[in-house]
PDB file of all heavy atoms in Angstrom:
ATOM      1  N   THR A 728      99.256  98.052  93.553  1.00 97.00           N
ATOM      2  CA  THR A 728     100.106  97.420  94.569  1.00 97.00           C
ATOM      3  C   THR A 728     100.987  96.293  94.063  1.00 97.00           C
ATOM      4  O   THR A 728     101.802  95.760  94.827  1.00 97.00           O
ATOM      5  CB  THR A 728      99.217  96.863  95.701  1.00 97.00           C
ATOM      6  OG1 THR A 728      98.248  95.958  95.123  1.00 97.00           O
ATOM      7  CG2 THR A 728      98.484  97.980  96.423  1.00 97.00           C
ATOM      8  N   ASP A 729     100.869  95.914  92.804  1.00 96.00           N
ATOM      9  CA  ASP A 729     101.558  94.717  92.321  1.00 96.00           C
ATOM     10  C   ASP A 729     103.075  94.793  92.504  1.00 96.00           C
ATOM     11  O   ASP A 729     103.686  93.868  93.039  1.00 96.00           O
ATOM     12  CB  ASP A 729     101.231  94.474  90.841  1.00 96.00           C
ATOM     13  CG  ASP A 729     101.906  93.226  90.305  1.00 96.00           C
ATOM     14  OD1 ASP A 729     101.437  92.119  90.626  1.00 96.00           O
ATOM     15  OD2 ASP A 729     102.911  93.357  89.576  1.00 96.00           O
ATOM     16  N   ALA A 730     103.698  95.869  92.062  1.00 95.00           N
ATOM     17  CA  ALA A 730     105.165  95.964  92.086  1.00 95.00           C
ATOM     18  C   ALA A 730     105.710  95.878  93.503  1.00 95.00           C
ATOM     19  O   ALA A 730     106.614  95.073  93.786  1.00 95.00           O
ATOM     20  CB  ALA A 730     105.622  97.260  91.419  1.00 95.00           C
ATOM     21  N   PHE A 731     105.182  96.679  94.410  1.00 97.00           N
ATOM     22  CA  PHE A 731     105.691  96.662  95.785  1.00 97.00           C
ATOM     23  C   PHE A 731     105.220  95.412  96.509  1.00 97.00           C
ATOM     24  O   PHE A 731     105.944  94.869  97.361  1.00 97.00           O
ATOM     25  CB  PHE A 731     105.250  97.916  96.535  1.00 97.00           C
ATOM     26  CG  PHE A 731     106.023  98.169  97.799  1.00 97.00           C
ATOM     27  CD1 PHE A 731     107.323  98.651  97.748  1.00 97.00           C
ATOM     28  CD2 PHE A 731     105.466  97.899  99.044  1.00 97.00           C
ATOM     29  CE1 PHE A 731     108.057  98.871  98.908  1.00 97.00           C
ATOM     30  CE2 PHE A 731     106.186  98.118 100.203  1.00 97.00           C
ATOM     31  CZ  PHE A 731     107.483  98.608 100.142  1.00 97.00           C
ATOM     32  N   GLY A 732     104.034  94.925  96.182  1.00 97.00           N
ATOM     33  CA  GLY A 732     103.535  93.706  96.801  1.00 97.00           C
ATOM     34  C   GLY A 732     104.420  92.509  96.500  1.00 97.00           C
ATOM     35  O   GLY A 732     104.677  91.661  97.371  1.00 97.00           O
ATOM     36  N   ARG A 733     104.891  92.408  95.265  1.00 95.00           N
ATOM     37  CA  ARG A 733     105.785  91.315  94.896  1.00 95.00           C
ATOM     38  C   ARG A 733     107.093  91.386  95.692  1.00 95.00           C
ATOM     39  O   ARG A 733     107.635  90.362  96.120  1.00 95.00           O
ATOM     40  CB  ARG A 733     106.080  91.350  93.397  1.00 95.00           C
ATOM     41  CG  ARG A 733     104.911  90.904  92.529  1.00 95.00           C
ATOM     42  CD  ARG A 733     105.214  91.021  91.046  1.00 95.00           C
ATOM     43  NE  ARG A 733     104.081  90.552  90.263  1.00 95.00           N
ATOM     44  CZ  ARG A 733     103.877  89.285  89.922  1.00 95.00           C
ATOM     45  NH1 ARG A 733     104.749  88.363  90.276  1.00 95.00           N
ATOM     46  NH2 ARG A 733     102.818  88.931  89.222  1.00 95.00           N
ATOM     47  N   LYS A 734     107.600  92.589  95.890  1.00 96.00           N
ATOM     48  CA  LYS A 734     108.850  92.735  96.624  1.00 96.00           C
ATOM     49  C   LYS A 734     108.669  92.369  98.101  1.00 96.00           C
ATOM     50  O   LYS A 734     109.533  91.725  98.701  1.00 96.00           O
ATOM     51  CB  LYS A 734     109.393  94.153  96.468  1.00 96.00           C
ATOM     52  CG  LYS A 734     109.980  94.404  95.090  1.00 96.00           C
ATOM     53  CD  LYS A 734     110.766  95.699  94.997  1.00 96.00           C
ATOM     54  CE  LYS A 734     109.885  96.895  94.851  1.00 96.00           C
ATOM     55  NZ  LYS A 734     110.641  98.119  94.515  1.00 96.00           N
ATOM     56  N   CYS A 735     107.540  92.766  98.685  1.00 97.00           N
ATOM     57  CA  CYS A 735     107.293  92.424 100.090  1.00 97.00           C
ATOM     58  C   CYS A 735     107.118  90.916 100.261  1.00 97.00           C
ATOM     59  O   CYS A 735     107.619  90.327 101.228  1.00 97.00           O
ATOM     60  CB  CYS A 735     106.059  93.166 100.606  1.00 97.00           C
ATOM     61  SG  CYS A 735     106.332  94.917 100.944  1.00 97.00           S
ATOM     62  N   LEU A 736     106.405  90.295  99.334  1.00 97.00           N
ATOM     63  CA  LEU A 736     106.220  88.848  99.399  1.00 97.00           C
ATOM     64  C   LEU A 736     107.554  88.131  99.213  1.00 97.00           C
ATOM     65  O   LEU A 736     107.856  87.154  99.907  1.00 97.00           O
ATOM     66  CB  LEU A 736     105.214  88.403  98.338  1.00 97.00           C
ATOM     67  CG  LEU A 736     104.891  86.903  98.252  1.00 97.00           C
ATOM     68  CD1 LEU A 736     104.530  86.329  99.613  1.00 97.00           C
ATOM     69  CD2 LEU A 736     103.765  86.661  97.247  1.00 97.00           C
ATOM     70  N   LEU A 737     108.363  88.607  98.290  1.00 95.00           N
ATOM     71  CA  LEU A 737     109.679  88.009  98.080  1.00 95.00           C
ATOM     72  C   LEU A 737     110.558  88.194  99.309  1.00 95.00           C
ATOM     73  O   LEU A 737     111.313  87.289  99.689  1.00 95.00           O
ATOM     74  CB  LEU A 737     110.344  88.627  96.846  1.00 95.00           C
ATOM     75  CG  LEU A 737     111.752  88.119  96.498  1.00 95.00           C
ATOM     76  CD1 LEU A 737     111.766  86.606  96.355  1.00 95.00           C
ATOM     77  CD2 LEU A 737     112.256  88.790  95.227  1.00 95.00           C
ATOM     78  N   ALA A 738     110.458  89.360  99.956  1.00 97.00           N
ATOM     79  CA  ALA A 738     111.242  89.605 101.179  1.00 97.00           C
ATOM     80  C   ALA A 738     110.885  88.578 102.247  1.00 97.00           C
ATOM     81  O   ALA A 738     111.766  88.041 102.932  1.00 97.00           O
ATOM     82  CB  ALA A 738     110.996  91.021 101.687  1.00 97.00           C
ATOM     83  N   ARG A 739     109.595  88.289 102.399  1.00 97.00           N
ATOM     84  CA  ARG A 739     109.192  87.278 103.376  1.00 97.00           C
ATOM     85  C   ARG A 739     109.751  85.905 103.020  1.00 97.00           C
ATOM     86  O   ARG A 739     110.264  85.169 103.865  1.00 97.00           O
ATOM     87  CB  ARG A 739     107.673  87.196 103.444  1.00 97.00           C
ATOM     88  CG  ARG A 739     107.158  86.287 104.578  1.00 97.00           C
ATOM     89  CD  ARG A 739     106.031  85.399 104.095  1.00 97.00           C
ATOM     90  NE  ARG A 739     106.523  84.226 103.393  1.00 97.00           N
ATOM     91  CZ  ARG A 739     105.803  83.525 102.522  1.00 97.00           C
ATOM     92  NH1 ARG A 739     104.586  83.911 102.194  1.00 97.00           N
ATOM     93  NH2 ARG A 739     106.324  82.457 101.943  1.00 97.00           N
ATOM     94  N   ARG A 740     109.700  85.552 101.729  1.00 96.00           N
ATOM     95  CA  ARG A 740     110.221  84.255 101.302  1.00 96.00           C
ATOM     96  C   ARG A 740     111.727  84.161 101.537  1.00 96.00           C
ATOM     97  O   ARG A 740     112.250  83.098 101.898  1.00 96.00           O
ATOM     98  CB  ARG A 740     109.887  84.018  99.827  1.00 96.00           C
ATOM     99  CG  ARG A 740     108.407  83.805  99.551  1.00 96.00           C
ATOM    100  CD  ARG A 740     108.103  83.760  98.050  1.00 96.00           C
ATOM    101  NE  ARG A 740     108.686  82.606  97.395  1.00 96.00           N
ATOM    102  CZ  ARG A 740     108.110  81.412  97.290  1.00 96.00           C
ATOM    103  NH1 ARG A 740     106.912  81.219  97.848  1.00 96.00           N
ATOM    104  NH2 ARG A 740     108.710  80.412  96.663  1.00 96.00           N
ATOM    105  N   LEU A 741     112.435  85.264 101.348  1.00 95.00           N
ATOM    106  CA  LEU A 741     113.884  85.261 101.526  1.00 95.00           C
ATOM    107  C   LEU A 741     114.280  85.080 102.989  1.00 95.00           C
ATOM    108  O   LEU A 741     115.146  84.266 103.312  1.00 95.00           O
ATOM    109  CB  LEU A 741     114.477  86.555 100.964  1.00 95.00           C
ATOM    110  CG  LEU A 741     114.457  86.685  99.434  1.00 95.00           C
ATOM    111  CD1 LEU A 741     114.814  88.101  99.013  1.00 95.00           C
ATOM    112  CD2 LEU A 741     115.414  85.681  98.780  1.00 95.00           C
ATOM    113  N   VAL A 742     113.658  85.850 103.893  1.00 97.00           N
ATOM    114  CA  VAL A 742     114.024  85.697 105.303  1.00 97.00           C
ATOM    115  C   VAL A 742     113.569  84.346 105.836  1.00 97.00           C
ATOM    116  O   VAL A 742     114.209  83.766 106.737  1.00 97.00           O
ATOM    117  CB  VAL A 742     113.457  86.842 106.172  1.00 97.00           C
ATOM    118  CG1 VAL A 742     114.025  88.183 105.746  1.00 97.00           C
ATOM    119  CG2 VAL A 742     111.942  86.880 106.151  1.00 97.00           C
ATOM    120  N   GLU A 743     112.495  83.834 105.270  1.00 96.00           N
ATOM    121  CA  GLU A 743     112.020  82.515 105.671  1.00 96.00           C
ATOM    122  C   GLU A 743     113.051  81.438 105.342  1.00 96.00           C
ATOM    123  O   GLU A 743     113.159  80.422 106.040  1.00 96.00           O
ATOM    124  CB  GLU A 743     110.700  82.218 104.969  1.00 96.00           C
ATOM    125  CG  GLU A 743     109.959  81.003 105.474  1.00 96.00           C
ATOM    126  CD  GLU A 743     108.592  80.859 104.831  1.00 96.00           C
ATOM    127  OE1 GLU A 743     108.431  81.254 103.659  1.00 96.00           O
ATOM    128  OE2 GLU A 743     107.679  80.347 105.501  1.00 96.00           O
ATOM    129  N   GLN A 744     113.832  81.675 104.287  1.00 93.00           N
ATOM    130  CA  GLN A 744     114.849  80.721 103.866  1.00 93.00           C
ATOM    131  C   GLN A 744     116.240  81.063 104.397  1.00 93.00           C
ATOM    132  O   GLN A 744     117.230  80.494 103.945  1.00 93.00           O
ATOM    133  CB  GLN A 744     114.882  80.646 102.338  1.00 93.00           C
ATOM    134  CG  GLN A 744     113.607  80.104 101.722  1.00 93.00           C
ATOM    135  CD  GLN A 744     113.277  78.704 102.206  1.00 93.00           C
ATOM    136  OE1 GLN A 744     114.167  77.849 102.299  1.00 93.00           O
ATOM    137  NE2 GLN A 744     112.020  78.458 102.519  1.00 93.00           N
ATOM    138  N   GLY A 745     116.323  82.003 105.330  1.00 95.00           N
ATOM    139  CA  GLY A 745     117.587  82.232 106.016  1.00 95.00           C
ATOM    140  C   GLY A 745     118.390  83.432 105.583  1.00 95.00           C
ATOM    141  O   GLY A 745     119.506  83.626 106.063  1.00 95.00           O
ATOM    142  N   VAL A 746     117.867  84.270 104.667  1.00 96.00           N
ATOM    143  CA  VAL A 746     118.570  85.494 104.310  1.00 96.00           C
ATOM    144  C   VAL A 746     118.540  86.432 105.513  1.00 96.00           C
ATOM    145  O   VAL A 746     117.491  86.660 106.109  1.00 96.00           O
ATOM    146  CB  VAL A 746     117.941  86.167 103.072  1.00 96.00           C
ATOM    147  CG1 VAL A 746     118.612  87.507 102.787  1.00 96.00           C
ATOM    148  CG2 VAL A 746     118.067  85.240 101.862  1.00 96.00           C
ATOM    149  N   ARG A 747     119.671  86.970 105.862  1.00 97.00           N
ATOM    150  CA  ARG A 747     119.783  87.740 107.106  1.00 97.00           C
ATOM    151  C   ARG A 747     119.213  89.153 106.990  1.00 97.00           C
ATOM    152  O   ARG A 747     118.587  89.651 107.922  1.00 97.00           O
ATOM    153  CB  ARG A 747     121.263  87.823 107.499  1.00 97.00           C
ATOM    154  CG  ARG A 747     121.528  88.514 108.821  1.00 97.00           C
ATOM    155  CD  ARG A 747     121.119  87.675 110.001  1.00 97.00           C
ATOM    156  NE  ARG A 747     122.041  86.584 110.252  1.00 97.00           N
ATOM    157  CZ  ARG A 747     121.926  85.752 111.283  1.00 97.00           C
ATOM    158  NH1 ARG A 747     120.922  85.890 112.141  1.00 97.00           N
ATOM    159  NH2 ARG A 747     122.791  84.759 111.452  1.00 97.00           N
ATOM    160  N   PHE A 748     119.425  89.824 105.852  1.00 98.00           N
ATOM    161  CA  PHE A 748     119.047  91.240 105.727  1.00 98.00           C
ATOM    162  C   PHE A 748     118.500  91.488 104.326  1.00 98.00           C
ATOM    163  O   PHE A 748     119.173  91.204 103.339  1.00 98.00           O
ATOM    164  CB  PHE A 748     120.260  92.135 105.983  1.00 98.00           C
ATOM    165  CG  PHE A 748     119.937  93.569 106.280  1.00 98.00           C
ATOM    166  CD1 PHE A 748     119.912  94.048 107.579  1.00 98.00           C
ATOM    167  CD2 PHE A 748     119.651  94.463 105.256  1.00 98.00           C
ATOM    168  CE1 PHE A 748     119.620  95.375 107.857  1.00 98.00           C
ATOM    169  CE2 PHE A 748     119.360  95.788 105.519  1.00 98.00           C
ATOM    170  CZ  PHE A 748     119.344  96.244 106.825  1.00 98.00           C
ATOM    171  N   VAL A 749     117.272  92.000 104.247  1.00 98.00           N
ATOM    172  CA  VAL A 749     116.640  92.322 102.968  1.00 98.00           C
ATOM    173  C   VAL A 749     116.216  93.782 102.998  1.00 98.00           C
ATOM    174  O   VAL A 749     115.523  94.213 103.927  1.00 98.00           O
ATOM    175  CB  VAL A 749     115.409  91.439 102.692  1.00 98.00           C
ATOM    176  CG1 VAL A 749     114.801  91.790 101.333  1.00 98.00           C
ATOM    177  CG2 VAL A 749     115.776  89.963 102.741  1.00 98.00           C
ATOM    178  N   GLN A 750     116.641  94.551 102.005  1.00 98.00           N
ATOM    179  CA  GLN A 750     116.211  95.945 101.907  1.00 98.00           C
ATOM    180  C   GLN A 750     115.303  96.101 100.699  1.00 98.00           C
ATOM    181  O   GLN A 750     115.650  95.707  99.585  1.00 98.00           O
ATOM    182  CB  GLN A 750     117.408  96.884 101.799  1.00 98.00           C
ATOM    183  CG  GLN A 750     117.004  98.356 101.911  1.00 98.00           C
ATOM    184  CD  GLN A 750     118.194  99.290 101.991  1.00 98.00           C
ATOM    185  OE1 GLN A 750     119.140  99.159 101.242  1.00 98.00           O
ATOM    186  NE2 GLN A 750     118.154 100.253 102.906  1.00 98.00           N
ATOM    187  N   VAL A 751     114.131  96.686 100.933  1.00 98.00           N
ATOM    188  CA  VAL A 751     113.108  96.845  99.899  1.00 98.00           C
ATOM    189  C   VAL A 751     112.915  98.337  99.635  1.00 98.00           C
ATOM    190  O   VAL A 751     112.667  99.111 100.569  1.00 98.00           O
ATOM    191  CB  VAL A 751     111.776  96.215 100.339  1.00 98.00           C
ATOM    192  CG1 VAL A 751     110.739  96.318  99.223  1.00 98.00           C
ATOM    193  CG2 VAL A 751     111.972  94.761 100.754  1.00 98.00           C
ATOM    194  N   TYR A 752     112.993  98.740  98.368  1.00 98.00           N
ATOM    195  CA  TYR A 752     112.895 100.155  98.017  1.00 98.00           C
ATOM    196  C   TYR A 752     111.535 100.512  97.416  1.00 98.00           C
ATOM    197  O   TYR A 752     110.958  99.768  96.619  1.00 98.00           O
ATOM    198  CB  TYR A 752     113.976 100.537  97.004  1.00 98.00           C
ATOM    199  CG  TYR A 752     115.306 100.855  97.647  1.00 98.00           C
ATOM    200  CD1 TYR A 752     116.211  99.846  97.949  1.00 98.00           C
ATOM    201  CD2 TYR A 752     115.651 102.165  97.968  1.00 98.00           C
ATOM    202  CE1 TYR A 752     117.429 100.133  98.543  1.00 98.00           C
ATOM    203  CE2 TYR A 752     116.865 102.463  98.568  1.00 98.00           C
ATOM    204  CZ  TYR A 752     117.748 101.440  98.856  1.00 98.00           C
ATOM    205  OH  TYR A 752     118.952 101.727  99.459  1.00 98.00           O
ATOM    206  N   SER A 753     111.037 101.673  97.819  1.00 98.00           N
ATOM    207  CA  SER A 753     109.913 102.343  97.166  1.00 98.00           C
ATOM    208  C   SER A 753     110.384 103.758  96.866  1.00 98.00           C
ATOM    209  O   SER A 753     110.820 104.477  97.761  1.00 98.00           O
ATOM    210  CB  SER A 753     108.684 102.385  98.091  1.00 98.00           C
ATOM    211  OG  SER A 753     107.688 103.257  97.570  1.00 98.00           O
ATOM    212  N   GLY A 754     110.331 104.175  95.609  1.00 97.00           N
ATOM    213  CA  GLY A 754     110.855 105.486  95.230  1.00 97.00           C
ATOM    214  C   GLY A 754     109.771 106.490  94.910  1.00 97.00           C
ATOM    215  O   GLY A 754     108.586 106.165  94.838  1.00 97.00           O
ATOM    216  N   GLY A 755     110.191 107.755  94.730  1.00 97.00           N
ATOM    217  CA  GLY A 755     109.267 108.799  94.298  1.00 97.00           C
ATOM    218  C   GLY A 755     108.649 109.636  95.396  1.00 97.00           C
ATOM    219  O   GLY A 755     107.694 110.383  95.141  1.00 97.00           O
ATOM    220  N   TRP A 756     109.178 109.562  96.622  1.00 98.00           N
ATOM    221  CA  TRP A 756     108.568 110.279  97.747  1.00 98.00           C
ATOM    222  C   TRP A 756     108.999 111.744  97.844  1.00 98.00           C
ATOM    223  O   TRP A 756     108.657 112.429  98.806  1.00 98.00           O
ATOM    224  CB  TRP A 756     108.915 109.558  99.053  1.00 98.00           C
ATOM    225  CG  TRP A 756     108.249 108.222  99.179  1.00 98.00           C
ATOM    226  CD1 TRP A 756     108.704 107.028  98.695  1.00 98.00           C
ATOM    227  CD2 TRP A 756     107.004 107.940  99.822  1.00 98.00           C
ATOM    228  NE1 TRP A 756     107.820 106.019  98.997  1.00 98.00           N
ATOM    229  CE2 TRP A 756     106.767 106.554  99.681  1.00 98.00           C
ATOM    230  CE3 TRP A 756     106.066 108.727 100.493  1.00 98.00           C
ATOM    231  CZ2 TRP A 756     105.624 105.933 100.198  1.00 98.00           C
ATOM    232  CZ3 TRP A 756     104.930 108.105 101.011  1.00 98.00           C
ATOM    233  CH2 TRP A 756     104.718 106.728 100.858  1.00 98.00           C
ATOM    234  N   ASP A 757     109.717 112.251  96.876  1.00 97.00           N
ATOM    235  CA  ASP A 757     110.236 113.620  96.916  1.00 97.00           C
ATOM    236  C   ASP A 757     109.166 114.598  96.423  1.00 97.00           C
ATOM    237  O   ASP A 757     109.259 115.158  95.334  1.00 97.00           O
ATOM    238  CB  ASP A 757     111.490 113.707  96.050  1.00 97.00           C
ATOM    239  CG  ASP A 757     112.247 115.014  96.248  1.00 97.00           C
ATOM    240  OD1 ASP A 757     112.091 115.639  97.307  1.00 97.00           O
ATOM    241  OD2 ASP A 757     112.998 115.398  95.330  1.00 97.00           O
ATOM    242  N   SER A 758     108.168 114.840  97.247  1.00 95.00           N
ATOM    243  CA  SER A 758     106.972 115.588  96.828  1.00 95.00           C
ATOM    244  C   SER A 758     107.096 117.084  97.121  1.00 95.00           C
ATOM    245  O   SER A 758     106.505 117.597  98.077  1.00 95.00           O
ATOM    246  CB  SER A 758     105.727 115.014  97.507  1.00 95.00           C
ATOM    247  OG  SER A 758     105.559 113.661  97.176  1.00 95.00           O
ATOM    248  N   HIS A 759     107.839 117.796  96.272  1.00 94.00           N
ATOM    249  CA  HIS A 759     107.922 119.249  96.414  1.00 94.00           C
ATOM    250  C   HIS A 759     106.627 119.917  95.949  1.00 94.00           C
ATOM    251  O   HIS A 759     106.291 121.006  96.422  1.00 94.00           O
ATOM    252  CB  HIS A 759     109.091 119.787  95.595  1.00 94.00           C
ATOM    253  CG  HIS A 759     110.424 119.423  96.142  1.00 94.00           C
ATOM    254  ND1 HIS A 759     111.013 120.105  97.184  1.00 94.00           N
ATOM    255  CD2 HIS A 759     111.287 118.424  95.809  1.00 94.00           C
ATOM    256  CE1 HIS A 759     112.189 119.565  97.460  1.00 94.00           C
ATOM    257  NE2 HIS A 759     112.379 118.536  96.640  1.00 94.00           N
ATOM    258  N   ASP A 760     105.943 119.289  95.026  1.00 93.00           N
ATOM    259  CA  ASP A 760     104.694 119.829  94.494  1.00 93.00           C
ATOM    260  C   ASP A 760     103.658 118.709  94.397  1.00 93.00           C
ATOM    261  O   ASP A 760     104.005 117.521  94.414  1.00 93.00           O
ATOM    262  CB  ASP A 760     104.921 120.435  93.100  1.00 93.00           C
ATOM    263  CG  ASP A 760     106.009 121.507  93.108  1.00 93.00           C
ATOM    264  OD1 ASP A 760     105.878 122.458  93.898  1.00 93.00           O
ATOM    265  OD2 ASP A 760     106.989 121.372  92.348  1.00 93.00           O
ATOM    266  N   TYR A 761     102.412 119.107  94.310  1.00 93.00           N
ATOM    267  CA  TYR A 761     101.322 118.146  94.126  1.00 93.00           C
ATOM    268  C   TYR A 761     101.378 117.027  95.170  1.00 93.00           C
ATOM    269  O   TYR A 761     101.294 115.839  94.862  1.00 93.00           O
ATOM    270  CB  TYR A 761     101.352 117.572  92.702  1.00 93.00           C
ATOM    271  CG  TYR A 761     101.387 118.656  91.652  1.00 93.00           C
ATOM    272  CD1 TYR A 761     102.553 118.905  90.920  1.00 93.00           C
ATOM    273  CD2 TYR A 761     100.271 119.466  91.426  1.00 93.00           C
ATOM    274  CE1 TYR A 761     102.604 119.920  89.982  1.00 93.00           C
ATOM    275  CE2 TYR A 761     100.311 120.491  90.484  1.00 93.00           C
ATOM    276  CZ  TYR A 761     101.472 120.716  89.764  1.00 93.00           C
ATOM    277  OH  TYR A 761     101.512 121.726  88.837  1.00 93.00           O
TER     278      TYR A 761
END
């Protein structure tokens, strides 16, 4: 969880300081197999 956890925590810190819109990406959901 470290990579995505850091981004979520940073997103909270950013909106807390007045950033209006934060987009957080998680990739790799294209599961055609397995």
Side-chain angles (χ1 to χ4, degrees):
T728 56
D729 181 75
F731 196 75
R733 287 177 179 274
K734 286 191 281 190
C735 285
L736 180 50
L737 179 55
R739 187 224 81 202
R740 291 172 66 87
L741 289 169
V742 298
E743 191 174 32
Q744 296 301 317
V746 175
R747 184 73 75 176
F748 197 99
V749 181
Q750 189 172 45
V751 183
Y752 276 85
S753 168
W756 291 86
D757 191 23
S758 301
H759 290 279
D760 304 305
Y761 308 108

